[in-house]
């Protein structure tokens, strides 16, 4: 298993997703309590980035149409999205934010 350092864990928030790029793959990373989650930066409803998304109760909310996704599983929770987001393994270690190298 290979890990990629994407920045300082101090930059991570529970209310605002942190956009990162891993080898050309756009992801957003969010802290929810003590856990860290990473999902693809693309709403499955319209294919657009989740820029400006809000986070509430471990859910990321698309800023355009309000679709909600579970950060833990990627599951689409509300219309107009029905397809899940891809999820990625993330962790904080020694003050750094690490993501498992995506396939």
């Amino acid at each position: 298993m290979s890990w990629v350092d994407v920045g300082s864990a101090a930059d991570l928030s529970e209310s605002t997703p942190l956009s990162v790029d891993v080898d050309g793959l756009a992801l957003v990373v969010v802290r929810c309590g003590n856990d860290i989650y990473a999902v693809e930066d693309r709403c499955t409803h319209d294919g657009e980035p989740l820029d400006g998304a809000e986070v509430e109760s471990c859910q990321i909310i698309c800023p355009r149409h309000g679709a909600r996704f579970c950060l833990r599983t990627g599951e689409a929770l509300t219309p107009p999205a029905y397809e899940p987001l891809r999820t990625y393994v993330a962790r904080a270690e020694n003050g750094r934010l690490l993501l498992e190298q995506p396939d």
Side-chain angles (χ1 to χ4, degrees):
M1 179 180 317
S2 176
W3 294 89
V4 178
D5 186 321
V6 294
S8 171
D11 293 338
L12 210 50
S13 166
E14 287 198 47
S15 60
T16 306
L18 175 66
S19 296
V20 300
D21 182 277
V22 178
D23 295 332
L25 181 62
L27 305 174
V28 291
V29 185
V30 180
R31 179 182 302 280
C32 183
N34 292 326
D35 298 318
I36 298 173
Y37 299 99
V39 297
E40 64 182 309
D41 187 6
R42 178 188 67 85
C43 179
T44 60
H45 162 246
D46 62 7
E48 294 295 316
L50 293 169
D51 287 342
E54 294 182 13
V55 176
E56 180 180 287
S57 301
C58 292
Q59 298 174 9
I60 190 165
I61 306 163
C62 177
R64 285 172 303 288
H65 301 107
R68 290 176 173 256
F69 298 90
C70 176
L71 287 168
R72 292 179 182 97
T73 66
E75 177 184 5
L77 301 171
T78 62
Y82 296 98
E83 297 297 319
L85 293 173
R86 290 188 69 188
T87 61
Y88 300 87
V89 178
R91 71 179 190 204
E93 185 176 291
N94 298 321
R96 302 302 297 170
L97 183 58
L98 305 174
L99 298 181
E100 184 176 9
Q101 181 70 42
D103 294 333

